[in-house]
């Protein structure tokens, strides 16, 4: 039996899909690289904005056509859209025989075994658990060079625009002991870079259901693992990032000088209606402290334009703070109404034309900032952890590799000889800046 996994959305979903992939292989099922070869489709969905949600329906429509010719083929729909739509997927699409939420993921391998035995069965795994549902580790002999480690699930913040607390439930931290064990195991099996993942990692260990060590302490323990080259984490909330974590950037050699710190808006009025619990000055103060702890830190962010009630002046405040901070890069989105969230009832809504215009201006500004920030890297010596061959290859008789510098910037390196450099750390001089990446030459 072959399976094919589609993954939409954030790194949490990517990491959930990776786990599922390993768990299904442990059951004896085979991953396939072409959709036409699949007997089982698994779709890990995202509902953070309307667009990714629409993609699921067009995909299901396409798969429906496909399964009409191959009636034994079935699909499981998981992740954030599944958590919301639930059993209605089972009713609406005959070939969907499994729906699972984020806490239900751990039970998917068992459910698939049952579905393969009983062709008439349909099943749903949608309940939330009180505690972090620990997943059985399936550990290939050699760990990937870069790995994600989940440290928590869910979120308690209820920002007015955000669907995550409804789709991923309340914040549940995984035990620090389990996290450290997993990280140590990964490093022992060859992993060189770990990214700690959670919806709001800075409030790790501070759950309503109980307490664990604070996030800064977890960072220190993971960073101390001998053999770990690079440590990253995402995502942070500005209201929860504390002094100890800021200091850690200056003190822990393994902690990469990069922080993704979602700002969302530069207007205090909008930040307050979003329920973000910080204002633009608070954010600027954090940036100042981060830069004094780690002057070379690369800062990236998320921004929303056209939140209900956002005036031209509010938007200009966002433009101003983006310039002031000088983000290395940012993701920006048009506000999109999500069912059941507080902002869905907020007025006035901003028309799509205005949102499009604001987004274009913001993205133009970011392109200029990114270009300047990248140009500032030329001439520097950096350590680049190679992730694989570049999509675009250079002159004949050379091979182009793509990796990242400690700040997370993409760096392309041409080498004259054919040897697999994946996972190697190359010492390079940055020689050119492009629109979104850099080129380096091995020293
Ligand atoms: N509309 C637009 N963008 C949103 N995001 C989250 N919810 C919405 C929404 N309803 C953005 C935020 C968040 C990122 C993952 O997606 O910027 O940080
Ligand atoms: Fe999308 Fe958020 Fe769910 Fe991630 S947690 S898949 S971004 S809705």
């Amino acid at each position: 039996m072959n399976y094919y996994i589609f993954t939409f959305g954030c790194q949490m979903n990517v990491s959930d899909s990776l786990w599922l992939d390993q768990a299904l292989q442990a059951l004896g099922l085979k991953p396939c690289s072409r959709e036409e070869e699949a007997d089982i489709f698994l779709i890990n969905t995202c509902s953070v904005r309307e667009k990714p949600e629409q993609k699921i329906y067009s995909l299901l429509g396409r798969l429906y056509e496909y399964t009409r010719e191959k009636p034994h083929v079935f699909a499981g729909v998981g992740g954030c859209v599944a958590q919301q739509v639930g059993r209605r997927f089972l009713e609406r699409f005959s070939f969907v025989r499994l729906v699972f939420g984020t806490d239900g993921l751990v039970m998917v391998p068992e459910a698939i075994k049952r579905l393969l035995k009983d062709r008439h069965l349909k099943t749903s795994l949608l309940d939330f658990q009180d505690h972090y549902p620990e997943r059985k580790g399936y550990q290939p002999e050699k760990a990937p060079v870069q790995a994600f480690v989940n440290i928590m699930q869910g979120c308690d913040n209820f920002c007015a625009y955000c669907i995550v607390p409804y789709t991923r439930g309340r914040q549940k931290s995984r035990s620090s002991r389990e996290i450290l064990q997993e990280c140590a195991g990964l490093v022992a099996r060859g992993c060189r870079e770990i990214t700690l993942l959670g919806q709001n990692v800075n409030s790790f260990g501070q759950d309503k259901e109980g307490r664990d060590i604070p996030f800064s302490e977890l960072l220190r323990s993971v960073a101390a693992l001998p053999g770990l080259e690079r440590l990253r984490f995402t995502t942070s909330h500005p209201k929860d990032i504390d002094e100890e974590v800021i200091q850690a950037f200056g003190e822990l050699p393994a902690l990469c000088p990069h922080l993704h710190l979602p700002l969302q808006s530069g207007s205090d009025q909008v930040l307050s209606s979003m329920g973000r619990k910080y204002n633009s000055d608070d954010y600027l103060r954090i940036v100042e402290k981060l830069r004094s702890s780690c002057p070379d830190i690369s800062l990236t962010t998320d921004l929303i334009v056209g939140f209900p009630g956002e005036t031209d002046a509010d938007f200009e405040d966002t433009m101003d703070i983006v310039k002031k901070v000088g983000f290395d890069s940012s993701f920006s989105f048009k506000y999109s109404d999500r069912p059941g969230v507080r902002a869905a009832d907020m007025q006035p809504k901003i028309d799509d034309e205005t949102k499009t215009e604001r987004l274009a201006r913001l993205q133009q500004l970011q392109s200029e900032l990114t270009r300047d920030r990248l140009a500032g890297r030329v001439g520097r010596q950096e350590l680049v952890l190679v992730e694989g061959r570049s999509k675009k290859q250079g002159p004949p008789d050379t091979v182009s590799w793509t990796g990242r510098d400690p700040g997370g910037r993409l760096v392309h390196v041409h080498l004259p000889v054919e040897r697999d450099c994946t996972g190697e750390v190359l010492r390079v001089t940055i020689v050119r800046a492009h629109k979104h990446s850099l080129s380096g030459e091995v020293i």
Side-chain angles (χ1 to χ4, degrees), residues 122-157:
K122 286 197 171 203
T123 192
S124 63
L125 305 165
L126 294 164
D127 289 347
F128 282 121
Q129 312 291 320
D130 285 342
H131 295 281
Y132 183 94
E134 199 51 51
R135 298 170 188 173
K136 190 169 177 294
Y138 297 96
Q139 305 187 328
E141 217 172 287
K142 213 166 157 262
V145 179
Q146 293 164 301
F148 295 124
V149 173
N150 258 332
I151 66 166
M152 65 209 297
Q153 189 70 270
C155 178
D156 285 346
N157 284 329

mmCIF file of all heavy atoms in Angstrom, residues 122-157:
data_model
loop_
_atom_site.group_PDB
_atom_site.id
_atom_site.type_symbol
_atom_site.label_atom_id
_atom_site.label_comp_id
_atom_site.label_asym_id
_atom_site.label_seq_id
_atom_site.Cartn_x
_atom_site.Cartn_y
_atom_site.Cartn_z
ATOM 1 N N LYS A 122 -15.569 4.444 8.517
ATOM 2 C CA LYS A 122 -15.089 5.828 8.447
ATOM 3 C C LYS A 122 -14.823 6.233 9.888
ATOM 4 O O LYS A 122 -15.540 5.798 10.787
ATOM 5 C CB LYS A 122 -16.158 6.747 7.861
ATOM 6 C CG LYS A 122 -16.341 6.587 6.365
ATOM 7 C CD LYS A 122 -17.093 7.781 5.792
ATOM 8 C CE LYS A 122 -17.075 7.716 4.263
ATOM 9 N NZ LYS A 122 -17.285 9.023 3.652
ATOM 10 N N THR A 123 -13.832 7.066 10.128
ATOM 11 C CA THR A 123 -13.549 7.373 11.533
ATOM 12 C C THR A 123 -13.037 8.799 11.713
ATOM 13 O O THR A 123 -12.498 9.399 10.788
ATOM 14 C CB THR A 123 -12.577 6.324 12.131
ATOM 15 O OG1 THR A 123 -12.543 6.492 13.533
ATOM 16 C CG2 THR A 123 -11.163 6.474 11.602
ATOM 17 N N SER A 124 -13.266 9.333 12.925
ATOM 18 C CA SER A 124 -12.793 10.693 13.191
ATOM 19 C C SER A 124 -12.023 10.728 14.505
ATOM 20 O O SER A 124 -12.364 10.033 15.463
ATOM 21 C CB SER A 124 -13.977 11.659 13.248
ATOM 22 O OG SER A 124 -14.819 11.325 14.318
ATOM 23 N N LEU A 125 -10.967 11.523 14.533
ATOM 24 C CA LEU A 125 -10.129 11.675 15.735
ATOM 25 C C LEU A 125 -10.017 13.172 15.997
ATOM 26 O O LEU A 125 -9.065 13.813 15.561
ATOM 27 C CB LEU A 125 -8.728 11.093 15.472
ATOM 28 C CG LEU A 125 -8.646 9.649 14.988
ATOM 29 C CD1 LEU A 125 -7.263 9.343 14.438
ATOM 30 C CD2 LEU A 125 -8.973 8.695 16.130
ATOM 31 N N LEU A 126 -11.036 13.712 16.650
ATOM 32 C CA LEU A 126 -11.105 15.175 16.723
ATOM 33 C C LEU A 126 -11.034 15.735 18.140
ATOM 34 O O LEU A 126 -11.016 16.945 18.331
ATOM 35 C CB LEU A 126 -12.393 15.664 16.057
ATOM 36 C CG LEU A 126 -12.456 15.402 14.549
ATOM 37 C CD1 LEU A 126 -13.869 15.540 14.030
ATOM 38 C CD2 LEU A 126 -11.517 16.333 13.800
ATOM 39 N N ASP A 127 -11.000 14.864 19.152
ATOM 40 C CA ASP A 127 -11.023 15.370 20.528
ATOM 41 C C ASP A 127 -9.710 16.051 20.892
ATOM 42 O O ASP A 127 -8.646 15.635 20.466
ATOM 43 C CB ASP A 127 -11.246 14.219 21.517
ATOM 44 C CG ASP A 127 -12.663 13.700 21.426
ATOM 45 O OD1 ASP A 127 -13.492 14.387 20.790
ATOM 46 O OD2 ASP A 127 -12.920 12.615 21.958
ATOM 47 N N PHE A 128 -9.821 17.091 21.703
ATOM 48 C CA PHE A 128 -8.613 17.704 22.278
ATOM 49 C C PHE A 128 -8.251 16.943 23.551
ATOM 50 O O PHE A 128 -9.122 16.453 24.269
ATOM 51 C CB PHE A 128 -8.871 19.170 22.646
ATOM 52 C CG PHE A 128 -8.850 20.082 21.459
ATOM 53 C CD1 PHE A 128 -9.965 20.848 21.140
ATOM 54 C CD2 PHE A 128 -7.724 20.186 20.669
ATOM 55 C CE1 PHE A 128 -9.944 21.699 20.044
ATOM 56 C CE2 PHE A 128 -7.693 21.032 19.570
ATOM 57 C CZ PHE A 128 -8.809 21.792 19.257
ATOM 58 N N GLN A 129 -6.951 16.868 23.825
ATOM 59 C CA GLN A 129 -6.485 16.236 25.075
ATOM 60 C C GLN A 129 -6.099 17.342 26.063
ATOM 61 O O GLN A 129 -5.767 18.446 25.642
ATOM 62 C CB GLN A 129 -5.248 15.373 24.801
ATOM 63 C CG GLN A 129 -5.357 14.439 23.610
ATOM 64 C CD GLN A 129 -6.346 13.320 23.859
ATOM 65 O OE1 GLN A 129 -6.395 12.787 24.966
ATOM 66 N NE2 GLN A 129 -7.139 12.977 22.860
ATOM 67 N N ASP A 130 -6.099 17.000 27.362
ATOM 68 C CA ASP A 130 -5.698 17.992 28.379
ATOM 69 C C ASP A 130 -4.192 18.188 28.394
ATOM 70 O O ASP A 130 -3.695 19.245 28.734
ATOM 71 C CB ASP A 130 -6.105 17.521 29.783
ATOM 72 C CG ASP A 130 -7.579 17.691 29.980
ATOM 73 O OD1 ASP A 130 -8.179 18.462 29.205
ATOM 74 O OD2 ASP A 130 -8.134 17.039 30.886
ATOM 75 N N HIS A 131 -3.468 17.112 28.097
ATOM 76 C CA HIS A 131 -2.010 17.175 28.166
ATOM 77 C C HIS A 131 -1.424 16.917 26.789
ATOM 78 O O HIS A 131 -2.089 16.359 25.924
ATOM 79 C CB HIS A 131 -1.481 16.148 29.179
ATOM 80 C CG HIS A 131 -1.918 16.475 30.570
ATOM 81 N ND1 HIS A 131 -1.297 17.438 31.330
ATOM 82 C CD2 HIS A 131 -2.948 16.016 31.308
ATOM 83 C CE1 HIS A 131 -1.917 17.541 32.481
ATOM 84 N NE2 HIS A 131 -2.927 16.693 32.494
ATOM 85 N N TYR A 132 -0.175 17.313 26.622
ATOM 86 C CA TYR A 132 0.503 17.117 25.336
ATOM 87 C C TYR A 132 0.515 15.623 24.989
ATOM 88 O O TYR A 132 1.039 14.817 25.757
ATOM 89 C CB TYR A 132 1.942 17.640 25.424
ATOM 90 C CG TYR A 132 2.685 17.541 24.115
ATOM 91 C CD1 TYR A 132 2.720 18.612 23.231
ATOM 92 C CD2 TYR A 132 3.333 16.367 23.742
ATOM 93 C CE1 TYR A 132 3.389 18.520 22.024
ATOM 94 C CE2 TYR A 132 4.000 16.270 22.535
ATOM 95 C CZ TYR A 132 4.021 17.348 21.680
ATOM 96 O OH TYR A 132 4.669 17.244 20.491
ATOM 97 N N PRO A 133 -0.102 15.248 23.866
ATOM 98 C CA PRO A 133 -0.115 13.819 23.545
ATOM 99 C C PRO A 133 1.245 13.372 23.013
ATOM 100 O O PRO A 133 1.592 13.668 21.881
ATOM 101 C CB PRO A 133 -1.199 13.694 22.464
ATOM 102 C CG PRO A 133 -1.514 15.085 22.014
ATOM 103 C CD PRO A 133 -0.761 16.060 22.843
ATOM 104 N N GLU A 134 2.018 12.735 23.852
ATOM 105 C CA GLU A 134 3.383 12.304 23.489
ATOM 106 C C GLU A 134 3.311 11.315 22.323
ATOM 107 O O GLU A 134 2.462 10.435 22.298
ATOM 108 C CB GLU A 134 4.017 11.658 24.722
ATOM 109 C CG GLU A 134 5.516 11.551 24.728
ATOM 110 C CD GLU A 134 6.261 12.843 24.411
ATOM 111 O OE1 GLU A 134 6.003 13.912 25.016
ATOM 112 O OE2 GLU A 134 7.111 12.777 23.520
ATOM 113 N N ARG A 135 4.195 11.506 21.332
ATOM 114 C CA ARG A 135 4.187 10.632 20.162
ATOM 115 C C ARG A 135 5.327 9.643 20.239
ATOM 116 O O ARG A 135 6.420 10.015 20.632
ATOM 117 C CB ARG A 135 4.383 11.455 18.887
ATOM 118 C CG ARG A 135 3.293 12.438 18.679
ATOM 119 C CD ARG A 135 3.691 13.371 17.561
ATOM 120 N NE ARG A 135 2.725 14.439 17.465
ATOM 121 C CZ ARG A 135 2.875 15.489 16.672
ATOM 122 N NH1 ARG A 135 3.938 15.604 15.929
ATOM 123 N NH2 ARG A 135 1.943 16.411 16.634
ATOM 124 N N LYS A 136 5.046 8.438 19.795
ATOM 125 C CA LYS A 136 6.105 7.438 19.754
ATOM 126 C C LYS A 136 7.145 7.905 18.735
ATOM 127 O O LYS A 136 6.782 8.359 17.653
ATOM 128 C CB LYS A 136 5.488 6.126 19.301
ATOM 129 C CG LYS A 136 6.376 4.923 19.422
ATOM 130 C CD LYS A 136 5.509 3.680 19.190
ATOM 131 C CE LYS A 136 6.303 2.401 19.204
ATOM 132 N NZ LYS A 136 7.252 2.227 18.148
ATOM 133 N N GLY A 137 8.419 7.858 19.111
ATOM 134 C CA GLY A 137 9.459 8.277 18.171
ATOM 135 C C GLY A 137 9.811 7.152 17.212
ATOM 136 O O GLY A 137 9.981 6.011 17.631
ATOM 137 N N TYR A 138 9.848 7.444 15.927
ATOM 138 C CA TYR A 138 10.323 6.462 14.958
ATOM 139 C C TYR A 138 11.647 7.000 14.485
ATOM 140 O O TYR A 138 11.692 8.030 13.823
ATOM 141 C CB TYR A 138 9.358 6.336 13.785
ATOM 142 C CG TYR A 138 8.024 5.839 14.232
ATOM 143 C CD1 TYR A 138 6.999 6.724 14.507
ATOM 144 C CD2 TYR A 138 7.810 4.475 14.408
ATOM 145 C CE1 TYR A 138 5.777 6.263 14.949
ATOM 146 C CE2 TYR A 138 6.597 4.014 14.848
ATOM 147 C CZ TYR A 138 5.580 4.909 15.127
ATOM 148 O OH TYR A 138 4.387 4.462 15.563
ATOM 149 N N GLN A 139 12.729 6.357 14.911
ATOM 150 C CA GLN A 139 14.013 6.990 14.682
ATOM 151 C C GLN A 139 14.818 6.270 13.636
ATOM 152 O O GLN A 139 15.337 5.187 13.911
ATOM 153 C CB GLN A 139 14.778 7.057 15.999
ATOM 154 C CG GLN A 139 13.951 7.742 17.055
ATOM 155 C CD GLN A 139 14.716 7.977 18.320
ATOM 156 O OE1 GLN A 139 15.597 7.197 18.677
ATOM 157 N NE2 GLN A 139 14.386 9.043 19.005
ATOM 158 N N PRO A 140 14.899 6.847 12.444
ATOM 159 C CA PRO A 140 15.786 6.238 11.463
ATOM 160 C C PRO A 140 17.207 6.296 12.012
ATOM 161 O O PRO A 140 17.523 7.166 12.837
ATOM 162 C CB PRO A 140 15.641 7.129 10.228
ATOM 163 C CG PRO A 140 14.953 8.372 10.679
ATOM 164 C CD PRO A 140 14.316 8.105 11.999
ATOM 165 N N GLU A 141 18.039 5.350 11.562
ATOM 166 C CA GLU A 141 19.388 5.229 12.110
ATOM 167 C C GLU A 141 20.146 6.551 12.033
ATOM 168 O O GLU A 141 20.819 6.961 12.958
ATOM 169 C CB GLU A 141 20.136 4.178 11.306
ATOM 170 C CG GLU A 141 21.056 3.336 12.143
ATOM 171 C CD GLU A 141 21.583 2.211 11.285
ATOM 172 O OE1 GLU A 141 20.813 1.278 10.977
ATOM 173 O OE2 GLU A 141 22.751 2.324 10.907
ATOM 174 N N LYS A 142 19.980 7.212 10.848
ATOM 175 C CA LYS A 142 20.666 8.477 10.674
ATOM 176 C C LYS A 142 19.626 9.594 10.787
ATOM 177 O O LYS A 142 18.622 9.569 10.076
ATOM 178 C CB LYS A 142 21.318 8.490 9.289
ATOM 179 C CG LYS A 142 22.591 9.254 9.274
ATOM 180 C CD LYS A 142 23.391 8.983 8.010
ATOM 181 C CE LYS A 142 24.310 10.141 7.780
ATOM 182 N NZ LYS A 142 23.847 11.121 6.840
ATOM 183 N N ALA A 143 19.873 10.538 11.680
ATOM 184 C CA ALA A 143 18.906 11.634 11.834
ATOM 185 C C ALA A 143 19.126 12.646 10.707
ATOM 186 O O ALA A 143 20.219 12.734 10.152
ATOM 187 C CB ALA A 143 19.114 12.304 13.182
ATOM 188 N N PRO A 144 18.082 13.429 10.350
ATOM 189 C CA PRO A 144 18.308 14.474 9.364
ATOM 190 C C PRO A 144 19.275 15.525 9.917
ATOM 191 O O PRO A 144 19.390 15.680 11.136
ATOM 192 C CB PRO A 144 16.919 15.082 9.170
ATOM 193 C CG PRO A 144 16.148 14.700 10.378
ATOM 194 C CD PRO A 144 16.725 13.423 10.886
ATOM 195 N N VAL A 145 19.960 16.234 9.023
ATOM 196 C CA VAL A 145 20.904 17.260 9.466
ATOM 197 C C VAL A 145 20.159 18.353 10.237
ATOM 198 O O VAL A 145 20.651 18.892 11.221
ATOM 199 C CB VAL A 145 21.609 17.887 8.242
ATOM 200 C CG1 VAL A 145 22.583 18.964 8.684
ATOM 201 C CG2 VAL A 145 22.324 16.810 7.470
ATOM 202 N N GLN A 146 18.956 18.667 9.737
ATOM 203 C CA GLN A 146 18.147 19.679 10.427
ATOM 204 C C GLN A 146 16.864 19.014 10.891
ATOM 205 O O GLN A 146 16.233 18.309 10.107
ATOM 206 C CB GLN A 146 17.775 20.793 9.469
ATOM 207 C CG GLN A 146 18.965 21.587 9.022
ATOM 208 C CD GLN A 146 18.632 22.396 7.803
ATOM 209 O OE1 GLN A 146 18.255 21.856 6.771
ATOM 210 N NE2 GLN A 146 18.762 23.693 7.917
ATOM 211 N N ALA A 147 16.482 19.276 12.125
ATOM 212 C CA ALA A 147 15.260 18.642 12.614
ATOM 213 C C ALA A 147 14.410 19.649 13.380
ATOM 214 O O ALA A 147 14.924 20.601 13.966
ATOM 215 C CB ALA A 147 15.619 17.478 13.520
ATOM 216 N N PHE A 148 13.104 19.420 13.335
ATOM 217 C CA PHE A 148 12.165 20.187 14.151
ATOM 218 C C PHE A 148 11.857 19.371 15.390
ATOM 219 O O PHE A 148 11.694 18.155 15.308
ATOM 220 C CB PHE A 148 10.835 20.351 13.426
ATOM 221 C CG PHE A 148 10.904 21.163 12.178
ATOM 222 C CD1 PHE A 148 10.466 20.626 10.970
ATOM 223 C CD2 PHE A 148 11.359 22.462 12.191
ATOM 224 C CE1 PHE A 148 10.492 21.375 9.807
ATOM 225 C CE2 PHE A 148 11.399 23.214 11.043
ATOM 226 C CZ PHE A 148 10.959 22.678 9.846
ATOM 227 N N VAL A 149 11.742 20.035 16.521
ATOM 228 C CA VAL A 149 11.285 19.342 17.731
ATOM 229 C C VAL A 149 10.124 20.140 18.313
ATOM 230 O O VAL A 149 10.271 21.313 18.673
ATOM 231 C CB VAL A 149 12.438 19.188 18.753
ATOM 232 C CG1 VAL A 149 11.916 18.628 20.065
ATOM 233 C CG2 VAL A 149 13.531 18.283 18.194
ATOM 234 N N ASN A 150 8.971 19.489 18.380
ATOM 235 C CA ASN A 150 7.791 20.138 18.966
ATOM 236 C C ASN A 150 7.976 20.297 20.460
ATOM 237 O O ASN A 150 8.362 19.337 21.128
ATOM 238 C CB ASN A 150 6.582 19.214 18.771
ATOM 239 C CG ASN A 150 5.718 19.667 17.637
ATOM 240 O OD1 ASN A 150 5.662 20.853 17.323
ATOM 241 N ND2 ASN A 150 5.039 18.740 17.011
ATOM 242 N N ILE A 151 7.712 21.476 20.976
ATOM 243 C CA ILE A 151 7.823 21.610 22.435
ATOM 244 C C ILE A 151 6.467 21.905 23.078
ATOM 245 O O ILE A 151 6.319 21.827 24.281
ATOM 246 C CB ILE A 151 8.865 22.682 22.851
ATOM 247 C CG1 ILE A 151 8.454 24.091 22.444
ATOM 248 C CG2 ILE A 151 10.239 22.357 22.263
ATOM 249 C CD1 ILE A 151 9.293 25.156 23.148
ATOM 250 N N MET A 152 5.507 22.256 22.265
ATOM 251 C CA MET A 152 4.182 22.532 22.823
ATOM 252 C C MET A 152 3.149 22.478 21.717
ATOM 253 O O MET A 152 3.475 22.436 20.543
ATOM 254 C CB MET A 152 4.157 23.902 23.481
ATOM 255 C CG MET A 152 4.369 25.040 22.483
ATOM 256 S SD MET A 152 5.143 26.467 23.212
ATOM 257 C CE MET A 152 3.915 26.933 24.393
ATOM 258 N N GLN A 153 1.929 22.512 22.102
ATOM 259 C CA GLN A 153 0.821 22.437 21.162
ATOM 260 C C GLN A 153 -0.192 23.503 21.595
ATOM 261 O O GLN A 153 -0.350 23.753 22.783
ATOM 262 C CB GLN A 153 0.234 21.030 21.337
ATOM 263 C CG GLN A 153 -0.791 20.582 20.360
ATOM 264 C CD GLN A 153 -0.231 20.331 18.975
ATOM 265 O OE1 GLN A 153 -0.200 21.233 18.149
ATOM 266 N NE2 GLN A 153 0.200 19.114 18.715
ATOM 267 N N GLY A 154 -0.837 24.151 20.650
ATOM 268 C CA GLY A 154 -1.938 25.050 20.982
ATOM 269 C C GLY A 154 -1.515 26.429 21.446
ATOM 270 O O GLY A 154 -0.322 26.758 21.471
ATOM 271 N N CYS A 155 -2.494 27.229 21.803
ATOM 272 C CA CYS A 155 -2.232 28.624 22.144
ATOM 273 C C CYS A 155 -3.364 29.170 23.009
ATOM 274 O O CYS A 155 -4.525 28.830 22.797
ATOM 275 C CB CYS A 155 -2.133 29.407 20.834
ATOM 276 S SG CYS A 155 -1.858 31.149 21.070
ATOM 277 N N ASP A 156 -2.997 30.034 23.990
ATOM 278 C CA ASP A 156 -4.008 30.622 24.879
ATOM 279 C C ASP A 156 -4.229 32.104 24.617
ATOM 280 O O ASP A 156 -4.908 32.776 25.387
ATOM 281 C CB ASP A 156 -3.548 30.490 26.346
ATOM 282 C CG ASP A 156 -3.688 29.075 26.857
ATOM 283 O OD1 ASP A 156 -4.374 28.278 26.196
ATOM 284 O OD2 ASP A 156 -3.118 28.775 27.930
ATOM 285 N N ASN A 157 -3.615 32.647 23.567
ATOM 286 C CA ASN A 157 -3.620 34.108 23.431
ATOM 287 C C ASN A 157 -4.900 34.696 22.870
ATOM 288 O O ASN A 157 -5.250 35.826 23.187
ATOM 289 C CB ASN A 157 -2.442 34.557 22.567
ATOM 290 C CG ASN A 157 -1.150 34.496 23.346
ATOM 291 O OD1 ASN A 157 -1.157 34.681 24.560
ATOM 292 N ND2 ASN A 157 -0.063 34.208 22.674
#
